Amino acid sequence: MKRIFPKKYQFVHEYSFFLHDILVSIIKEGEPSKLFEVKRTFKDDAEANNWNSQKLKGKEFWFWLRENGYEDILREYSQKQVFIATLSDFCHYIYTSLKSSEKGKLSVAYELIRKPLKENLLFLEWLLADPEEFSDNFNEGKVLDLAVSKISKEKKIKIISDALKNSKYPSWISAEFIYELRYSKKVDFGFEKLWNRATHLITNFEDFKTENENLNFVFSDDDAKESLWTQYYKILPFLLFHTVQVTLGYISKIGELPILDDFLLEARKMIGFTLVLNKDSKSDVILKAAKEMLKEFDLHCPLCKQKVKLNKYNLINFYKDSLLECRICHTVFQLNYNRTV
Ligand SMILES: [Zn+2]
């Protein structure tokens, strides 16, 4: 059988799945640990008795909370529930998109990342940037305020910027650039132009006119397909990495999960990211942070005791299997790290 998926995208494809899997782990770890539930200690017996379980169902519970002055619970509950629902939905879309790309169905692959990157991710960013503002809009029923297309460019950039400020590496990328990758109709390096081509057979907008006979990618020739793949894997890991940072930022604010302390996973995420960055897209903040993390590991060969060089080959081994190979005596060894958490 002819292999459809080009080998040169294999690594970045796997890395994108790796980032997706981190997001899935957050959901899997968070639910049993009741991280997305709200805990309440009653002030006194009177309050405890007032919590009639008959009232505590669905909409009625919602209204009862508001009528009885439990706005704080309402807020916390809606923030957590929106977070988990938005993130689960995000993961479904990304998973199916990556699978479609693997099969060469690029029109579908592009269409499936549109909603999660333009809508779901903005809600996650907003929940990290200003959870109260977000849930107040949600609770007051101002649904229109949450319609992403109605939120101005300035407001979106402010949300992204505040989310970055609340995440682990606030300056690894600019909020404007993240905005352009997802929403700008003008730039060639973003997704918006391609999304419009993928969705509409022929658009009337001057900016979105499709190439001759290149309707909805269906008739795309091999070169066009190649350039669609290139663009997909150039941008998607950036936005997935950003999503992971935003999500971990939010989680660290609301509680604790084992994944937050998984140093090896964190190191693999950073090293994998430096491997997918090319010359034009290198981020000094991430490279520096990845190097700092590597210092935590014992990089000496257990046999000849020489320091092992971190060339690209070894960085890939490190990312994939936590293994390194000594260039002097060719011993392959499992990494130990010095850190004591
Ligand atoms: Zn050695």
PDB file of all heavy atoms in Angstrom, residues 201-218:
ATOM      1  N   LEU A 201     -16.612  26.590  -0.847  1.00  0.00           N
ATOM      2  CA  LEU A 201     -16.142  26.171  -2.170  1.00  0.00           C
ATOM      3  C   LEU A 201     -15.544  27.355  -2.912  1.00  0.00           C
ATOM      4  O   LEU A 201     -14.431  27.320  -3.393  1.00  0.00           O
ATOM      5  CB  LEU A 201     -17.291  25.566  -2.969  1.00  0.00           C
ATOM      6  CG  LEU A 201     -17.550  24.108  -2.667  1.00  0.00           C
ATOM      7  CD1 LEU A 201     -18.716  23.597  -3.479  1.00  0.00           C
ATOM      8  CD2 LEU A 201     -16.327  23.254  -2.955  1.00  0.00           C
ATOM      9  N   ILE A 202     -16.288  28.398  -3.006  1.00  0.00           N
ATOM     10  CA  ILE A 202     -15.738  29.623  -3.591  1.00  0.00           C
ATOM     11  C   ILE A 202     -16.231  30.778  -2.731  1.00  0.00           C
ATOM     12  O   ILE A 202     -17.407  30.879  -2.451  1.00  0.00           O
ATOM     13  CB  ILE A 202     -16.242  29.854  -5.030  1.00  0.00           C
ATOM     14  CG1 ILE A 202     -15.857  28.671  -5.902  1.00  0.00           C
ATOM     15  CG2 ILE A 202     -15.683  31.143  -5.601  1.00  0.00           C
ATOM     16  CD1 ILE A 202     -16.496  28.681  -7.260  1.00  0.00           C
ATOM     17  N   THR A 203     -15.311  31.600  -2.281  1.00  0.00           N
ATOM     18  CA  THR A 203     -15.760  32.726  -1.466  1.00  0.00           C
ATOM     19  C   THR A 203     -15.699  33.991  -2.312  1.00  0.00           C
ATOM     20  O   THR A 203     -14.926  34.090  -3.256  1.00  0.00           O
ATOM     21  CB  THR A 203     -14.873  32.898  -0.223  1.00  0.00           C
ATOM     22  OG1 THR A 203     -13.543  33.059  -0.664  1.00  0.00           O
ATOM     23  CG2 THR A 203     -14.975  31.705   0.682  1.00  0.00           C
ATOM     24  N   ASN A 204     -16.523  34.942  -1.932  1.00  0.00           N
ATOM     25  CA  ASN A 204     -16.580  36.174  -2.716  1.00  0.00           C
ATOM     26  C   ASN A 204     -15.523  37.179  -2.283  1.00  0.00           C
ATOM     27  O   ASN A 204     -15.168  38.067  -3.025  1.00  0.00           O
ATOM     28  CB  ASN A 204     -17.962  36.825  -2.581  1.00  0.00           C
ATOM     29  CG  ASN A 204     -19.004  35.933  -3.207  1.00  0.00           C
ATOM     30  OD1 ASN A 204     -18.753  35.315  -4.241  1.00  0.00           O
ATOM     31  ND2 ASN A 204     -20.165  35.834  -2.575  1.00  0.00           N
ATOM     32  N   PHE A 205     -15.045  36.982  -1.065  1.00  0.00           N
ATOM     33  CA  PHE A 205     -14.039  37.899  -0.559  1.00  0.00           C
ATOM     34  C   PHE A 205     -12.802  37.883  -1.436  1.00  0.00           C
ATOM     35  O   PHE A 205     -12.290  36.820  -1.774  1.00  0.00           O
ATOM     36  CB  PHE A 205     -13.609  37.457   0.844  1.00  0.00           C
ATOM     37  CG  PHE A 205     -14.177  38.305   1.919  1.00  0.00           C
ATOM     38  CD1 PHE A 205     -15.238  37.852   2.694  1.00  0.00           C
ATOM     39  CD2 PHE A 205     -13.639  39.552   2.159  1.00  0.00           C
ATOM     40  CE1 PHE A 205     -15.758  38.636   3.697  1.00  0.00           C
ATOM     41  CE2 PHE A 205     -14.152  40.334   3.173  1.00  0.00           C
ATOM     42  CZ  PHE A 205     -15.224  39.888   3.944  1.00  0.00           C
ATOM     43  N   GLU A 206     -12.316  39.070  -1.767  1.00  0.00           N
ATOM     44  CA  GLU A 206     -11.123  39.173  -2.611  1.00  0.00           C
ATOM     45  C   GLU A 206      -9.964  38.368  -1.996  1.00  0.00           C
ATOM     46  O   GLU A 206      -9.276  37.615  -2.657  1.00  0.00           O
ATOM     47  CB  GLU A 206     -10.739  40.645  -2.759  1.00  0.00           C
ATOM     48  CG  GLU A 206      -9.747  40.942  -3.882  1.00  0.00           C
ATOM     49  CD  GLU A 206     -10.224  40.476  -5.246  1.00  0.00           C
ATOM     50  OE1 GLU A 206     -11.432  40.657  -5.561  1.00  0.00           O
ATOM     51  OE2 GLU A 206      -9.410  39.913  -5.982  1.00  0.00           O
ATOM     52  N   ASP A 207      -9.811  38.531  -0.663  1.00  0.00           N
ATOM     53  CA  ASP A 207      -8.699  37.879   0.035  1.00  0.00           C
ATOM     54  C   ASP A 207      -8.756  36.361  -0.030  1.00  0.00           C
ATOM     55  O   ASP A 207      -7.752  35.682   0.076  1.00  0.00           O
ATOM     56  CB  ASP A 207      -8.744  38.261   1.518  1.00  0.00           C
ATOM     57  CG  ASP A 207      -7.972  39.528   1.781  1.00  0.00           C
ATOM     58  OD1 ASP A 207      -7.325  40.002   0.832  1.00  0.00           O
ATOM     59  OD2 ASP A 207      -8.030  40.021   2.913  1.00  0.00           O
ATOM     60  N   PHE A 208      -9.968  35.832  -0.132  1.00  0.00           N
ATOM     61  CA  PHE A 208     -10.109  34.379   0.001  1.00  0.00           C
ATOM     62  C   PHE A 208     -10.323  33.663  -1.319  1.00  0.00           C
ATOM     63  O   PHE A 208     -10.662  32.492  -1.336  1.00  0.00           O
ATOM     64  CB  PHE A 208     -11.293  34.048   0.924  1.00  0.00           C
ATOM     65  CG  PHE A 208     -11.181  34.653   2.276  1.00  0.00           C
ATOM     66  CD1 PHE A 208     -12.289  35.189   2.917  1.00  0.00           C
ATOM     67  CD2 PHE A 208      -9.955  34.703   2.925  1.00  0.00           C
ATOM     68  CE1 PHE A 208     -12.184  35.756   4.167  1.00  0.00           C
ATOM     69  CE2 PHE A 208      -9.844  35.271   4.180  1.00  0.00           C
ATOM     70  CZ  PHE A 208     -10.951  35.806   4.802  1.00  0.00           C
ATOM     71  N   LYS A 209     -10.167  34.389  -2.430  1.00  0.00           N
ATOM     72  CA  LYS A 209     -10.392  33.721  -3.719  1.00  0.00           C
ATOM     73  C   LYS A 209      -9.496  32.495  -3.832  1.00  0.00           C
ATOM     74  O   LYS A 209      -8.307  32.535  -3.580  1.00  0.00           O
ATOM     75  CB  LYS A 209     -10.126  34.704  -4.860  1.00  0.00           C
ATOM     76  CG  LYS A 209     -11.277  35.679  -5.035  1.00  0.00           C
ATOM     77  CD  LYS A 209     -11.750  35.722  -6.487  1.00  0.00           C
ATOM     78  CE  LYS A 209     -13.055  36.471  -6.586  1.00  0.00           C
ATOM     79  NZ  LYS A 209     -12.915  37.776  -7.193  1.00  0.00           N
ATOM     80  N   THR A 210     -10.106  31.404  -4.220  1.00  0.00           N
ATOM     81  CA  THR A 210      -9.334  30.169  -4.317  1.00  0.00           C
ATOM     82  C   THR A 210      -8.539  30.140  -5.621  1.00  0.00           C
ATOM     83  O   THR A 210      -8.864  30.841  -6.569  1.00  0.00           O
ATOM     84  CB  THR A 210     -10.279  28.951  -4.278  1.00  0.00           C
ATOM     85  OG1 THR A 210     -11.339  29.189  -5.179  1.00  0.00           O
ATOM     86  CG2 THR A 210     -10.828  28.728  -2.898  1.00  0.00           C
ATOM     87  N   GLU A 211      -7.518  29.326  -5.634  1.00  0.00           N
ATOM     88  CA  GLU A 211      -6.740  29.200  -6.861  1.00  0.00           C
ATOM     89  C   GLU A 211      -7.627  28.602  -7.945  1.00  0.00           C
ATOM     90  O   GLU A 211      -8.608  27.940  -7.649  1.00  0.00           O
ATOM     91  CB  GLU A 211      -5.550  28.242  -6.622  1.00  0.00           C
ATOM     92  CG  GLU A 211      -4.483  28.823  -5.726  1.00  0.00           C
ATOM     93  CD  GLU A 211      -3.667  27.727  -5.055  1.00  0.00           C
ATOM     94  OE1 GLU A 211      -3.596  26.611  -5.622  1.00  0.00           O
ATOM     95  OE2 GLU A 211      -3.124  27.998  -3.971  1.00  0.00           O
ATOM     96  N   ASN A 212      -7.252  28.795  -9.187  1.00  0.00           N
ATOM     97  CA  ASN A 212      -8.060  28.254 -10.284  1.00  0.00           C
ATOM     98  C   ASN A 212      -8.358  26.772 -10.090  1.00  0.00           C
ATOM     99  O   ASN A 212      -7.464  25.981  -9.891  1.00  0.00           O
ATOM    100  CB  ASN A 212      -7.300  28.410 -11.612  1.00  0.00           C
ATOM    101  CG  ASN A 212      -7.423  29.826 -12.113  1.00  0.00           C
ATOM    102  OD1 ASN A 212      -8.242  30.591 -11.617  1.00  0.00           O
ATOM    103  ND2 ASN A 212      -6.593  30.160 -13.094  1.00  0.00           N
ATOM    104  N   GLU A 213      -9.588  26.447 -10.144  1.00  0.00           N
ATOM    105  CA  GLU A 213     -10.052  25.065 -10.076  1.00  0.00           C
ATOM    106  C   GLU A 213      -9.689  24.340  -8.781  1.00  0.00           C
ATOM    107  O   GLU A 213      -9.903  23.152  -8.646  1.00  0.00           O
ATOM    108  CB  GLU A 213      -9.532  24.255 -11.274  1.00  0.00           C
ATOM    109  CG  GLU A 213     -10.104  24.744 -12.584  1.00  0.00           C
ATOM    110  CD  GLU A 213      -9.464  24.047 -13.774  1.00  0.00           C
ATOM    111  OE1 GLU A 213      -8.707  23.106 -13.546  1.00  0.00           O
ATOM    112  OE2 GLU A 213      -9.752  24.463 -14.891  1.00  0.00           O
ATOM    113  N   ASN A 214      -9.124  25.104  -7.837  1.00  0.00           N
ATOM    114  CA  ASN A 214      -8.716  24.463  -6.592  1.00  0.00           C
ATOM    115  C   ASN A 214      -9.838  24.607  -5.569  1.00  0.00           C
ATOM    116  O   ASN A 214      -9.737  25.309  -4.585  1.00  0.00           O
ATOM    117  CB  ASN A 214      -7.433  25.137  -6.101  1.00  0.00           C
ATOM    118  CG  ASN A 214      -6.853  24.426  -4.906  1.00  0.00           C
ATOM    119  OD1 ASN A 214      -7.393  23.420  -4.451  1.00  0.00           O
ATOM    120  ND2 ASN A 214      -5.761  24.934  -4.400  1.00  0.00           N
ATOM    121  N   LEU A 215     -10.937  23.933  -5.825  1.00  0.00           N
ATOM    122  CA  LEU A 215     -12.121  24.111  -5.004  1.00  0.00           C
ATOM    123  C   LEU A 215     -12.061  23.255  -3.758  1.00  0.00           C
ATOM    124  O   LEU A 215     -11.977  22.040  -3.826  1.00  0.00           O
ATOM    125  CB  LEU A 215     -13.371  23.733  -5.808  1.00  0.00           C
ATOM    126  CG  LEU A 215     -13.549  24.492  -7.120  1.00  0.00           C
ATOM    127  CD1 LEU A 215     -14.810  24.037  -7.807  1.00  0.00           C
ATOM    128  CD2 LEU A 215     -13.577  25.987  -6.899  1.00  0.00           C
ATOM    129  N   ASN A 216     -12.098  23.979  -2.612  1.00  0.00           N
ATOM    130  CA  ASN A 216     -12.184  23.278  -1.338  1.00  0.00           C
ATOM    131  C   ASN A 216     -11.122  22.193  -1.168  1.00  0.00           C
ATOM    132  O   ASN A 216     -11.340  21.173  -0.536  1.00  0.00           O
ATOM    133  CB  ASN A 216     -13.593  22.679  -1.190  1.00  0.00           C
ATOM    134  CG  ASN A 216     -13.882  22.258   0.220  1.00  0.00           C
ATOM    135  OD1 ASN A 216     -13.223  22.729   1.142  1.00  0.00           O
ATOM    136  ND2 ASN A 216     -14.838  21.375   0.402  1.00  0.00           N
ATOM    137  N   PHE A 217      -9.979  22.392  -1.731  1.00  0.00           N
ATOM    138  CA  PHE A 217      -8.827  21.468  -1.654  1.00  0.00           C
ATOM    139  C   PHE A 217      -9.094  20.132  -2.348  1.00  0.00           C
ATOM    140  O   PHE A 217      -8.230  19.277  -2.393  1.00  0.00           O
ATOM    141  CB  PHE A 217      -8.415  21.119  -0.223  1.00  0.00           C
ATOM    142  CG  PHE A 217      -8.064  22.284   0.647  1.00  0.00           C
ATOM    143  CD1 PHE A 217      -7.990  22.131   2.014  1.00  0.00           C
ATOM    144  CD2 PHE A 217      -7.776  23.523   0.110  1.00  0.00           C
ATOM    145  CE1 PHE A 217      -7.664  23.196   2.839  1.00  0.00           C
ATOM    146  CE2 PHE A 217      -7.446  24.588   0.916  1.00  0.00           C
ATOM    147  CZ  PHE A 217      -7.391  24.425   2.283  1.00  0.00           C
ATOM    148  N   VAL A 218     -10.319  19.932  -2.804  1.00  0.00           N
ATOM    149  CA  VAL A 218     -10.662  18.606  -3.320  1.00  0.00           C
ATOM    150  C   VAL A 218      -9.803  18.255  -4.526  1.00  0.00           C
ATOM    151  O   VAL A 218      -9.344  17.130  -4.673  1.00  0.00           O
ATOM    152  CB  VAL A 218     -12.166  18.536  -3.691  1.00  0.00           C
ATOM    153  CG1 VAL A 218     -12.495  17.218  -4.362  1.00  0.00           C
ATOM    154  CG2 VAL A 218     -13.007  18.701  -2.438  1.00  0.00           C
TER     155      VAL A 218
END
